[in-house]
Amino acid sequence: MKLFIDDADIDAIRYLTEYYPIDGVTTNPSILAKTKRDPRETLKQIRSVIGEERTIFVQAVAADYEGMINDAHMIMDLLGKNTVVKIPSVPVGFKAIAALKKEGIPTCGTAVYTAMQGYLAAKAGASYVAPYVNRIENMGYDGIQVVREIQDILDACGYDCQVLAASFKNSRQVKELAAYGIDNVTCSADIIKGFAKNAAIDGAVEDFISDFQALTGVTSMTDLK
Ligand code: G3P
């Protein structure tokens, strides 16, 4: 399962990219708004931090068809290869997804709340569909189940499209999707750090080092005399 950072905080992206097995970064207009900076500068900086080989997802903001296509071209010109344009999974978005596919521009049908909405984005030609797990759960529905249903539909229909599950509140939601074989998830920096963060882990690692130090007087194999 590929793991993306759903964040535009440059320091967090730099840290996670250095230490964690990260496949790229996803953004949306709300995430970019939190930076209070020119989004073009933020996006170029993210590209510079993650390198050309990782993938960046950037959303077209315009609400109309022509505007979506123009936004997609601008995003691709700005960020180069390994860029995916997020397009809201609404009727005008389905039209834009289909047109961009003809141009060879990969898209992600985003803002997905129902399985059949995901089906439409995939059928239109999206390379990814992004269901919003926790937002669905906040509405009183089973977000995990919606993602499973979309995965089942993609498999059954044979679309060349992957799930990019988004909007998580905790590790358990991500774990359930990993166990189901979902291809991609995107999580905030804090959720990712939470995968391997608790007092028991820190305590175990500290104990190993202090036991070794009690035996040898040093804290690494290479410091042995
Ligand atoms: O891009 C979609 C995703 O980032 C939404 O996450 O946490 O705002 O529900 P959230």
Side-chain angles (χ1 to χ4, degrees):
M1 182 174 76
K2 287 191 176 176
L3 176 60
F4 295 87
I5 308 167
D6 200 24
D7 217 312
D9 180 317
I10 299 297
D11 290 339
I13 292 168
R14 188 176 285 115
Y15 170 78
L16 289 171
T17 303
E18 179 173 359
Y19 291 106
Y20 290 64
I22 294 296
D23 295 290
V25 170
T26 62
T27 64
N28 64 35
S30 304
I31 287 172
L32 291 171
K34 286 183 197 159
T35 68
K36 303 191 188 308
R37 299 171 58 206
D38 183 324
R40 294 166 298 187
E41 294 309 312
T42 301
L43 292 166
K44 281 196 290 189
Q45 208 174 354
I46 293 172
R47 169 55 84 206
S48 160
V49 169
I50 68 174
E52 286 188 354
E53 299 312 315
R54 294 187 180 88
T55 302
I56 184 168
F57 289 72
V58 182
Q59 193 160 326
V61 182
D64 63 297
Y65 171 75
E66 296 292 344
M68 284 180 178
I69 300 296
N70 290 338
D71 278 6
H73 291 162
M74 182 269 194
I75 289 165
M76 297 306 292
D77 288 346
L78 187 71
L79 299 166
K81 69 171 189 172
N82 289 326
T83 300
V84 177
V85 179
K86 295 170 72 177
I87 302 281
S89 298
V90 296
V92 66
F94 302 140
K95 179 177 175 180
I97 286 168
L100 291 167
K101 183 179 175 67
K102 282 190 186 153
E103 289 188 45
I105 295 178
T107 59
C108 172
T110 195
V112 170
Y113 286 77
T114 72
M116 292 311 289
Q117 189 192 2
Y119 153 77
L120 286 171
K123 188 170 191 316
S127 300
Y128 302 85
V129 290
Y132 287 3
V133 175
N134 198 60
R135 293 194 194 191
I136 295 168
E137 305 219 321
N138 283 344
M139 294 166 67
Y141 301 104
D142 186 340
I144 301 295
Q145 182 60 17
V146 170
V147 178
R148 287 193 189 118
E149 288 168 355
I150 293 173
Q151 184 65 61
D152 291 349
I153 289 169
L154 297 183
D155 292 342
C157 295
Y159 293 129
D160 185 17
C161 179
Q162 295 184 354
V163 170
L164 169 66
S167 178
F168 292 100
K169 186 184 176 189
N170 57 54
S171 302
R172 184 194 57 75
Q173 293 168 327
V174 183
K175 180 183 69 177
E176 291 197 22
L177 295 182
Y180 199 70
I182 297 302
D183 289 307
N184 311 273
V185 293
T186 185
C187 309
S188 70
D190 285 344
I191 295 278
I192 293 172
K193 289 178 194 168
F195 293 170
K197 183 181 177 186
N198 62 52
I201 298 170
D202 293 345
V205 174
E206 285 164 14
D207 285 350
F208 289 138
I209 294 171
S210 64
D211 288 346
F212 191 83
Q213 187 174 24
L215 173 69
T216 66
V218 296
T219 56
S220 77
M221 295 293 282
T222 49
D223 285 339
L224 286 169
K225 298 285 187 264

